[in-house]
């Protein structure tokens, strides 16, 4: 049958996931946490400063984090 080889390959891929799959699953909570942290920081800074200043502060914070990671 034409569909059998395709199904067998899919079963094999499901049974042996790639190593990147586990790392991707571990990163999802970190990305969600970063999103909530950014939203909380934005809300806090919006009460203290005007919108353009808040976005410059957040941009600077992300720039520092990116430079530290690199």
């Amino acid at each position: 049958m034409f569909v059998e080889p395709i199904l067998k390959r899919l079963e094999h891929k499901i049974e042996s996931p790639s190593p990147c799959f586990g790392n991707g699953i571990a990163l999802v909570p970190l990305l969600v946490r970063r999103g909530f942290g950014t939203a909380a920081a934005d809300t806090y800074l919006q009460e203290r400063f005007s919108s353009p200043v808040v976005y410059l502060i957040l941009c600077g914070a992300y720039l520092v984090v990116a430079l530290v990671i690199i």
Side-chain angles (χ1 to χ4, degrees):
M1 189 185 268
F2 177 72
V3 180
E4 257 182 59
I6 296 172
L7 291 176
K8 292 222 183 259
R9 277 190 287 161
L10 287 174
E11 286 176 1
H12 177 68
K13 286 185 179 184
I14 289 172
E15 289 173 356
S16 60
S18 68
C20 296
F21 182 72
N23 294 338
I25 293 289
L27 288 177
V28 170
L30 295 176
L31 291 174
V32 170
R33 185 180 72 177
R34 189 186 86 189
F36 278 110
T38 302
D42 182 46
T43 303
Y44 175 76
L45 292 171
Q46 287 285 348
E47 295 173 358
R48 307 256 185 252
F49 306 106
S50 63
S51 287
V53 174
V54 170
Y55 294 127
L56 286 174
I57 292 170
L58 291 175
C59 179
Y62 277 121
L63 181 63
V64 168
V65 169
L67 290 175
V68 168
I69 290 174
I70 291 175

